[in-house]
Amino acid sequence: MSTHQSTSQFRAKLVAAVVGGALLTASCGSSSSTKSAPSTTKTTAGASQADVTATHSVTVWPLAFVDGTPPHGVSSPLEVDLGPSSDKKLRVSFSEDEVSGTGDQWRAAAWNAVTVGTILTGSPLRGKEFTFKLRGRIDGPSAGTLMTIAVIALIRGDKIHDDITMTGTINPDGTTGPVGGIPYKVQGVVQAHKVKMLIPVGLRNSQDKNGNSVDIVQEGRDKGIAVSEVADIYDAYKQFTGVNLPKAGQNGSVSLSERAYQTLKAKVDANIAQVKSDAAQIKSIDHAYTSGLSSTLNDAQTQINQAVKLEGEGLQAGAFNAARQASTLTGAALATGRLLETYGTKGRSAFFTQLNASVAINDNVQALFEELKAFKPDTLSDVSAIVGSYGEAIDALSLANYGDTILASLKNARTLEQEASIALQGAFFKEVAKSLVGLAKDVFDVGRGLGGAKLSEGADVAGTADFFRKAAEANLQAFDTVVVNGAAEAQGESQSQAIAQFEGKDLTYALAKTSTDVIEGGLDRFLEADAKNYAKLGGAIALYVRSAGLIDKYYSLDAQADANGNVTSVVHDQALSSALDLAKNQVERSVSQLTVKQIDPTLEVGSYEIAGVEREGSVDDKLNALSDYRSAFISSRVLAYLGGFARLAG
C-alpha cells in the first residue's frame, strides 16, 4: 500500500471495515474483561491440620432426562464419599461402573459442588478427597445443587432426608440455576421412590419436547410428588436436612475507611482528567479515522458518567472502577485512531512500526512485576492489592496475546477492508492491554498499606490458586463440550472454527481461553516461586468467575444475543433476578466479615458498588453486575481463608 492511497475512497473503505469489526463491540473493563481478583498466600486457614481422618458417605439420587422415544426421566443412586487425601491436597475423583459413565459437564458440576461447598462452609482447601460413585451413565450440570448439598452435608456431618431429591445447577454464590427436561424428571423422582422434588425458581411452568407448557407442581401431584421451587442452596439445604446453613458475616452496609476513600478519590480524579485529555486529542485526528471508534467512545462516556455519579454519591470504590474503565477505553481509542491514520496515509509497514514502538507489553509487565515482587504483603489488605494487581496484569498479557492472534490472521485477508479490520482489531486489543498494565499499578497503589488483620502464617497461596484453577478448567471443558461443540455441529464447522467465532463475539470467552495459557506457563519468564503463586491466584479466581459465568449465561439462563454478541434477553428472568439478590447479599455479608477485622477490601467494595449501577441497566449490564458481585464474594471469602477465619460455625 503506497502513501498515495489516503484518498476519500480508501478512507471510506477503511472506516467501513472498522465499523464492521469486533473492535466496536468489545467493551473492556466490564466484569467480563478487566476483573481483578481476590487474595491469597501460603496455606489456607485451618489447613495446617486436615480435619478428615475417616471416610464418610452420603447417597443422593440425581435426576436425568433421556431424549429417547418416548422422552423420559430416570434416576440412579450417587454415592459421595469424603475421606483423607493421600497427598494432603484437596482431590476430586470419580468411580464409574460403565465405560465413560460421566461426561465433561457432569464432572464440571462435581468440581463446582466441591468448590462451592468448600467456600460456603469455610472448610479447609486441602487434606480431603471427595469421590463421586455413579451407577450407569450421566452427563450435564443439572445435578450441581444436589451434589453441593451432599458435599456440604459430609463437611458438616448433617444427615440428608431420604424422601427428597432435586434438579438444578449450582453457581459460585450458591444460587440454583435453571435446567431442562423437568416435565420428564418427575418420572425419575417416582423411580427413585422419593415423595419430594425441588426445582429451580421460575420453572414451575416448563415446556416439554413438543413445546407444551407443563405445570410441574400439578404433574407432581398427579404422581404423588410434592414439588417446590427453590432459589438457592440455603433453601434447598434446609429442606434436605432440616438444618439452617450459616452465612458469612452479618447484613450491613458496605463501606470503606476515610483513608481508603481519599486514596481512591485521588485516583478517580486523575482518571477523569486523563479521559478528558484523551478525548480532546481524539478530536484532533481526522474524523475519517476516528468515526469507526464512536461505539467505543460512547462506552467510555457512559463509564465516565457513572464515575461522576458514583463519586457524587460518595461511592469512591465504584467510581474508581468506572473511571479506570473509561480511561482504558479512551486511551486505547486514541492510540488506535493514530494507528488508523498511519495505516491509511503511510501504509502497512509504517503501521506495524508504529504499533511495535507503542506497545511494549512484556517490558511494561516486567517493570510492574519487579515492583510487585519487591513488596512483601503483611496484612490481608496488602494481599488483596497485590493479587488484584497481578490479576489485572494477567488480563493485560491475555489481551495482548489475543491481539497477536488476531494480527497473525492478516495473512488470510483477501480484501483491503478485511486487512484493515483485522489490523485495527488486533491493534485495539494490544492498546487496551498496554493501558491495563498502568491500571494494575493503580490497583496496587489504592489497596496496599491500609492496615487491618494480618496474613495467617498457615496460608497456602499455591494450593488455593490450584484449587480455583482446576474448578475453572472443568467449567471451560464443559462449556466447550456443550456450547462450542454444539454450535460447531449445528453449523457444520470444526471445533477450532467455533472457538474462533465465540472468541470474536464474547470477550469473556476469549480472555478465559488466553488467560488459561498465561496462568499455566506464560508467567514463567516473568516470575519465580512465591511471587508466581500470588499471580496465579489472581488469575485463577478471575478465570473461575468467568468460566462459571459463561455456563450460566449460555446454558443456565439461556441468554439470547444479537448478531454482535450483545445479550438482549434471558429466558429465565426470575432466576437472574434471584441470583442478583443473593449475590449482593453474599457480598455484604462477606465484606462485613472483613471490616470487623479492620480490613479495607477496596477492590471488593469497588466491584460491589459498580454492580449496583450495572444491575439497573440492560440485560447485558445485569449479567456484568452478577459477575461483579460474584467476583467480590469469592475474593472476600479467599481473604477470610488467608486470615484464618473462613470456617463458619453452626
Side-chain angles (χ1 to χ4, degrees):
M1 184 187 312
S2 74
T3 59
H4 300 293
Q5 288 181 304
S6 59
T7 64
S8 59
Q9 182 181 11
F10 172 76
R11 292 190 298 180
K13 288 183 177 181
L14 197 56
V15 170
V18 179
V19 171
L23 168 63
L24 299 181
T25 59
S27 175
C28 120
S30 71
S31 61
S32 62
S33 64
T34 59
K35 288 293 137 268
S36 54
S39 38
T40 18
T41 81
K42 266 186 181 159
T43 302
T44 51
S48 57
Q49 296 182 356
D51 61 351
V52 177
T53 57
T55 299
H56 304 277
S57 302
V58 299
T59 299
V60 291
W61 289 74
L63 303 171
F65 161 56
V66 179
D67 191 9
T69 307
H72 60 284
V74 297
S75 182
S76 299
L78 169 66
E79 179 184 322
V80 185
D81 297 347
L82 170 60
S85 64
S86 58
D87 57 3
K88 305 303 180 183
K89 294 181 179 180
L90 189 147
R91 304 185 66 86
V92 177
S93 60
F94 302 91
S95 175
E96 307 167 339
D97 65 357
E98 292 285 351
V99 177
S100 301
T102 59
D104 290 338
Q105 296 178 67
W106 196 87
R107 287 172 174 262
W111 270 101
N112 263 331
V114 172
T115 305
V116 174
T118 299
I119 293 168
L120 295 185
T121 60
S123 176
L125 301 182
R126 65 187 294 270
K128 305 186 294 291
E129 181 168 4
F130 290 92
T131 303
F132 294 84
K133 299 180 177 178
L134 178 73
R135 299 179 194 175
R137 290 188 174 90
I138 194 170
D139 200 5
S142 65
T145 300
L146 181 63
M147 289 192 284
T148 306
I149 289 169
V151 166
I152 293 175
L154 286 169
I155 289 172
R156 289 172 47 84
D158 295 329
K159 183 178 180 180
I160 292 177
H161 300 324
D162 60 8
D163 63 348
I164 186 172
T165 188
M166 75 170 295
T167 185
T169 63
I170 192 67
N171 294 316
D173 49 28
T175 48
T176 296
V179 295
I182 293 181
Y184 305 101
K185 290 179 179 178
V186 179
Q187 181 181 344
V189 181
V190 175
Q191 179 184 320
H193 304 292
K194 308 301 179 184
V195 297
K196 296 179 182 179
M197 177 188 186
L198 305 184
I199 63 175
V201 66
L203 295 186
R204 171 171 177 165
N205 295 298
S206 296
Q207 289 188 342
D208 64 15
K209 289 289 289 182
N210 297 319
N212 301 315
S213 180
V214 178
D215 184 339
I216 307 301
V217 172
Q218 185 59 52
E219 183 77 6
R221 287 197 191 106
D222 293 343
K223 292 180 170 60
I225 307 298
V227 179
S228 300
E229 292 180 297
V230 292
D232 55 58
I233 187 71
Y234 298 97
D235 188 359
Y237 195 80
K238 178 65 179 290
Q239 296 196 50
F240 266 80
T241 66
V243 176
N244 288 319
L245 184 63
K247 296 181 180 179
Q250 302 293 324
N251 283 321
S253 62
V254 175
S255 59
L256 298 171
S257 69
E258 181 64 20
R259 180 179 178 183
Y261 181 95
Q262 294 299 335
T263 301
L264 284 164
K265 186 178 187 307
K267 290 290 185 182
V268 170
D269 292 343
N271 275 302
I272 290 175
Q274 185 63 54
V275 168
K276 291 179 179 178
S277 174
D278 288 345
Q281 293 182 65
I282 289 172
K283 291 180 180 179
S284 69
I285 301 173
D286 189 326
H287 183 65
Y289 299 112
T290 59
S291 61
L293 298 165
S294 59
S295 179
T296 298
L297 294 172
N298 287 339
D299 287 345
Q301 188 59 52
T302 298
Q303 292 294 334
I304 211 65
N305 291 343
Q306 286 185 356
V308 172
K309 181 177 182 293
L310 287 164
E311 186 173 42
E313 295 173 355
L315 303 176
Q316 291 292 357
F320 172 69
N321 272 17
R324 67 195 181 98
Q325 288 171 22
S327 179
T328 300
L329 289 173
T330 53
L334 173 60
T336 303
R338 287 171 172 164
L339 284 165
L340 177 53
E341 189 172 44
T342 296
Y343 195 80
T345 59
K346 298 181 181 179
R348 188 181 188 202
S349 177
F351 165 82
F352 277 103
T353 298
Q354 183 174 326
L355 175 64
N356 293 332
S358 171
V359 186
I361 301 298
N362 288 347
D363 291 344
N364 293 348
V365 169
Q366 186 66 68
L368 172 65
F369 281 179
E370 290 300 322
E371 181 176 0
L372 296 180
K373 285 192 298 183
F375 180 73
K376 303 301 180 185
D378 180 48
T379 67
L380 295 178
S381 296
D382 289 343
V383 172
S384 179
I386 196 170
V387 173
S389 185
Y390 274 126
E392 295 279 7
I394 287 175
D395 273 358
L397 289 172
S398 301
L399 277 175
N401 290 346
Y402 183 53
D404 286 335
T405 299
I406 292 174
L407 291 171
S409 67
L410 269 172
K411 61 181 180 293
N412 301 321
R414 296 174 182 267
T415 66
L416 175 65
E417 290 87 346
Q418 288 179 351
E419 183 177 275
S421 180
I422 291 170
L424 288 162
Q425 289 174 46
F428 180 77
F429 284 118
K430 289 181 73 68
E431 291 293 350
V432 170
K434 179 183 177 183
S435 295
L436 282 181
V437 180
L439 294 180
K441 177 63 166 61
D442 282 351
V443 166
F444 181 53
D445 289 341
V446 301
R448 60 174 168 163
L450 296 174
K454 299 285 186 178
L455 181 66
S456 169
E457 291 183 2
D460 178 9
V461 181
T464 307
D466 196 50
F467 174 79
F468 283 103
R469 177 190 59 79
K470 290 175 181 176
E473 289 185 359
N475 282 337
L476 281 177
Q477 187 175 45
F479 182 81
D480 283 345
T481 298
V482 64
V483 178
V484 177
N485 290 356
E489 183 177 348
Q491 298 169 18
E493 299 176 333
S494 67
Q495 185 191 45
S496 61
Q497 289 174 317
I499 287 175
Q501 282 199 10
F502 266 98
E503 288 179 337
K505 73 178 184 179
D506 195 318
L507 190 55
T508 300
Y509 181 67
L511 269 175
K513 298 293 282 188
T514 52
S515 65
T516 298
D517 295 335
V518 172
I519 294 168
E520 293 185 351
L523 296 172
D524 293 343
R525 56 179 166 171
F526 297 107
L527 298 166
E528 58 280 325
D530 292 343
K532 188 160 60 178
N533 290 334
Y534 280 101
K536 284 185 174 182
L537 179 61
I541 295 293
L543 182 59
Y544 172 64
V545 173
R546 283 184 180 127
S547 63
L550 285 167
I551 292 176
D552 205 15
K553 175 179 176 181
Y554 288 98
Y555 177 87
S556 188
L557 294 174
D558 198 2
Q560 308 297 302
D562 61 22
N564 291 323
N566 299 312
V567 175
T568 56
S569 66
V570 294
V571 172
H572 303 293
D573 290 298
Q574 190 173 352
L576 176 57
S577 179
S578 296
L580 284 166
D581 288 341
L582 178 64
K584 177 177 182 289
N585 181 256
Q586 292 284 55
V587 178
E588 291 168 352
R589 286 178 168 273
S590 58
V591 166
S592 75
Q593 191 182 33
L594 300 178
T595 54
V596 165
K597 303 287 186 180
Q598 285 76 53
I599 300 166
D600 258 322
T602 306
L603 304 180
E604 292 73 24
V605 174
S607 294
Y608 171 85
E609 290 178 353
I610 198 68
V613 175
E614 292 169 332
R615 69 177 298 175
E616 301 302 322
S618 66
V619 176
D620 220 0
D621 291 332
K622 292 181 191 296
L623 290 172
N624 286 339
L626 186 57
S627 288
D628 274 329
Y629 280 140
R630 287 175 176 169
S631 179
F633 170 62
I634 297 298
S635 298
S636 298
R637 289 299 290 150
V638 171
L639 286 176
Y641 267 105
L642 297 177
F645 50 86
R647 187 182 290 271
L648 303 182

